[in-house]
Amino acid sequence: MMPFIKRTGAGMFAALAVILLLRAATEERVLELILVKTSQEAEAILARIKAGDSFERLALRHSIDPSATVGGYLGKVKLEDLLPEFQEAVKSVATGEVSAAFPVASGHAILKVLERPRAPSAKQMQGAKAQLVAYVSGFEESLYFFSRLPKPQNFHQNLRAVCDLKTSAIETAIRETETQIGSARDPQGLLQTHHTAAQLYAYRGDVDKSIHHFEGALNAAAKGGLESHVRALREKLAIAWLRKGEWDNCISNHNARSCIFPLTAAARHKMQTGSRKALELFLEYLRDQPEDVEVRWLLNLALQTLGSPSKDVPEVYLLPPSILAALDPAREFVDVAHSAGLHRMNNAGGSILDDFDDDGRPDLVISVVNACEAMGFYHNNGDGTFSERSKQAGLAGQLGGININHADYNNDGRLDIFVMRGGWEFPMRNSLLKNNGDGTFTDVTVAAGLALPAYPTPTAAWADYDNDGFADLFVGNENAPGQLFRNKGDGTFVDVAAAAGVGRVAFSKGAVWGDYDNDGFQDLYVSNYGQENFLYHNNRDGTFTEIAKALGVEGPIASFPTWFFDYDNDGCLDLFVSSYVQSVAEIVNELLKRPVQVETMKLYRNTCRGGFEDVSEATGVNRVSMAMGANFGDIDNDGFLDFYLGTGSPSYGALIPNVLFRNEGGKRFTDVTSLTGTGHLQKGHGIAFGDVDGDGDQDIFLHTGGAVPGDVYSNVLFRNPGSPNHWLRVKLVGSKTNRAAIGARIKAVVVEPGAQLRTIQRVVSSGGSFGGSSFEQHIGLGRADRVKSLEIWWPTTGVRQVFEDIPANQAIEIGEMRKSYRRRR
């Protein structure tokens, strides 16, 4: 959900405050940037620059922008691609000089104008030529106008105040922009104000007014002879019309196959105005730029919604049928969210599928990034349906939340919830919600010591890193230090990140724990966006050593979701790290078997000798990805872990299918998206696997919706069609080990037909870094109808328990130190 600017010089990721308005030729400058939070910090840094300190060194040490990793270098930037305050600052700066400090959406900025571009490194050049998705969302405009509002002290601690401020910012922005349209005297000014209004209305979800203002901008560009802007505005207007088609059909007249790629007859639009208008504009665009892959893709989506190719569409614009696999009805995962009672319309957010009331059935908890939307709690009724109990659970005041995860932090046998806020935006407080055991939750953030300081937080992970029997919490932040909250065992936490060596400043997007070297202590992996990732090895004395580069797992440089899992069942945890590239064109190029110019996803196989090897290509995982939410599970009960990726970016133009990969016997992964009907085109965030209907196979919950209030969609529950394979569900309950048994290991030995022994390995976790699955482990057994032996290893005590001859197709509970298991309903 982060905006970009395409740079002709270094191809680096852009400053948060800089947005790509139009693809157009204009006056250019080579810039460096320092971005800090306060005016006092900016003035102090400016004084040091004037005293002779290096701009680059100060950027590396103090800037909170992703460009800090390369000394603040932005490269060659078109002035019209900058927000007004940046344009004004640059105008008065001569080559080689530095601007005064000035306020921007994310803090206070200082710019330096260079004489010529720096020579970029190889890593900086990755993605330099990628075509970035056309920007239609209003996300950056909302941050800009929010930054201008006066705010009460400590507003980021007050969730209702954040909601009110964001609402007021958009109302003020629209009012001011509409006034400027009326007073605009030249085509350029009229174009810019109409463009801003169109983006703001897109942010709010008023698609008709957004279309109106994009048309106004396009007309101003055409009448003013601003030909370089006309083409880009045509595409943006077409994307707005596509969104209208989604509103009229996928949202307002939803069915189980709406917006699932490739679109079947049931998904075709009955109200076709939006798609037809978009089609006309895409065709006009392609007459000038026939090789634009993004527009060709969007044109083909519009054609699919209409049901058949138009005779007016040249064949050269059509994508080959080879990129579409036929749906297999026997393998189709049908969306049953509406009949299950989970069809909430919402924006992006997190999800957890787990048993919060200990009745043996996974319930659902969701959060929503919209600062004015409350969390949701859905109780599993045991018949395939859920009952919403959000207000009864005490979650009405828990507004916003880009992500959530869970743990039993106080070892009372009840699963608690941690809510993350502010990611991609600005600091907001997080929440720790204590499960009271009566269906309600209490916010204990302040009492637990987790409220201050507040940072923009997109990710966090629980594990007992010091093996004292209590789950600790690592919090990954954006342009801020990582936080490691050690659980003191009395309901409170203390941040020991600096002393432990895990407090590095980064733009972190994913965090996961895993004992990759099997030494009994949890290690930590942190994926970062725009810089190398971290692998913190646990030194077993309360400290960690960062060794990602030494073990070759520092990439991708632009990464997002991540996890540890044992994909090949060899007893050693492997590492998955998804790249994150906001380019529709690059993903389509890959589908077309064309060369790609960006990083791909990474799968690092654990060698079981303390290191990793990159098997991304060998396993078929080296794909271009726009993944945000992601998680893993066993969709066919064959004993090998599969995974599902939710894709997207803030732009309404980021219409790329979510992706399901099947594990082929621990050897490679196969894309089964089209075969299974899981290629949803709406933005995918929190993803969780779980057997929600108790039929012995794992279903997939997909939290849909985008970054801005107008980008809403109904959540999705893909019901698993089932397989002939057997299964066993195992819930572990710690006594000396943390109660939820996070980090405990399970080894199942089964005898398959033909008397062949086979081992299946699992580690207790909630899965990926964006979406939480149940701590109860669902173990596919293949054709084996019983488990010959089941071994449990407990990390705190080191105790090993072995149970023999367990019948398949049941749920069992095993307590630490207990001599027998009990069957759960």
Side-chain angles (χ1 to χ4, degrees), residues 635-654:
I635 60 170
D636 51 6
N637 283 337
D638 67 349
F640 291 96
L641 292 169
D642 317 294
F643 65 90
Y644 186 66
L645 305 176
T647 66
S649 83
S651 177
Y652 287 105

Side-chain angles (χ1 to χ4, degrees), residues 698-717:
Q698 288 191 299
D699 311 293
I700 304 174
F701 178 79
L702 166 65
H703 191 309
T704 55
V708 300
D711 196 357
V712 297
Y713 199 79
S714 174
N715 288 330
V716 174
L717 177 62

Side-chain angles (χ1 to χ4, degrees), residues 29 37 576 596 617 665 800:
R29 295 286 191 278
K37 291 181 180 179
F576 172 83
V596 296
E617 184 174 358
R800 294 182 185 272

Side-chain angles (χ1 to χ4, degrees), residues 72-115:
Y73 186 59
L74 301 180
K76 189 180 291 184
V77 178
K78 299 171 185 176
L79 295 191
E80 288 190 22
D81 287 352
L82 301 178
L83 284 171
E85 66 269 35
F86 278 81
Q87 293 187 36
E88 286 300 316
V90 170
K91 284 179 183 177
S92 59
V93 182
T95 300
E97 298 297 320
V98 175
S99 74
F102 58 96
V104 296
S106 305
H108 287 74
I110 303 168
L111 288 172
K112 182 177 181 179
V113 179
L114 304 182
E115 181 178 358

Side-chain angles (χ1 to χ4, degrees), residues 75-257:
K76 189 180 291 184
V77 178
K78 299 171 185 176
L79 295 191
E80 288 190 22
D81 287 352
L82 301 178
L83 284 171
E85 66 269 35
F86 278 81
Q87 293 187 36
E88 286 300 316
V90 170
K91 284 179 183 177
S92 59
V93 182
T95 300
E97 298 297 320
V98 175
S99 74
F102 58 96
V104 296
S106 305
H108 287 74
I110 303 168
L111 288 172
K112 182 177 181 179
V113 179
L114 304 182
E115 181 178 358
R116 62 180 64 88
R118 283 197 218 161
S121 69
K123 284 181 179 176
Q124 292 168 16
M125 284 301 293
Q126 291 185 43
K129 297 180 181 179
Q131 177 184 326
L132 304 173
V133 61
Y135 172 69
V136 181
S137 74
F139 182 74
E140 278 296 333
E141 286 82 356
S142 73
L143 289 179
Y144 170 69
F145 282 97
F146 181 85
S147 72
R148 297 173 55 193
L149 284 182
K151 303 172 186 69
Q153 189 175 11
N154 295 324
F155 77 92
H156 49 74
Q157 292 289 323
N158 186 322
L159 302 181
R160 176 53 62 182
V162 172
C163 164
D164 293 342
L165 285 166
K166 292 188 78 172
T167 301
S168 177
I170 293 302
E171 292 174 352
T172 300
I174 289 176
R175 185 168 58 250
E176 289 184 6
T177 305
E178 294 278 17
T179 300
Q180 291 172 5
I181 290 173
S183 59
R185 294 290 179 267
D186 62 280
Q188 182 72 45
L190 192 60
L191 183 160
Q192 289 181 342
T193 50
H194 268 303
H195 183 272
T196 299
Q199 297 284 10
L200 290 169
Y201 280 119
Y203 175 91
R204 201 166 72 174
D206 193 333
V207 67
D208 290 326
K209 289 185 178 179
S210 180
I211 288 171
H212 168 74
H213 285 289
F214 274 129
E215 287 175 338
L218 180 59
N219 290 335
K223 290 179 181 178
L226 304 173
E227 292 301 323
S228 59
H229 295 291
V230 169
R231 187 168 62 246
L233 285 166
R234 273 203 192 105
E235 182 183 1
K236 293 183 178 186
L237 177 57
I239 290 171
W241 276 111
L242 269 186
R243 181 60 182 174
K244 179 174 176 59
E246 291 175 326
W247 267 109
D248 291 343
N249 297 273
C250 301
I251 298 173
S252 300
N253 294 286
H254 179 84
N255 67 61
R257 290 174 177 79

Side-chain angles (χ1 to χ4, degrees), residues 352-356 362 405-409 414-417 461-463 471 689-690 698 729-733 738-744 746 762-768 771-779 812:
I352 304 168
L353 267 179
D354 212 330
D355 185 1
F356 284 89
N405 61 19
H406 63 308
D408 183 357
Y409 81 93
R414 306 160 187 162
L415 294 173
D416 313 296
I417 303 169
W462 294 90
F689 284 70
Q698 288 191 299
R729 283 166 48 180
V730 181
K731 178 181 179 179
L732 300 184
V733 180
N738 69 90
R739 186 66 176 265
I742 298 169
I746 303 172
R762 293 289 182 270
V763 176
V764 176
S765 77
S766 60
S773 300
S774 175
F775 290 126
E776 178 186 68
Q777 294 301 293
H778 185 108
I779 305 172
I812 65 174

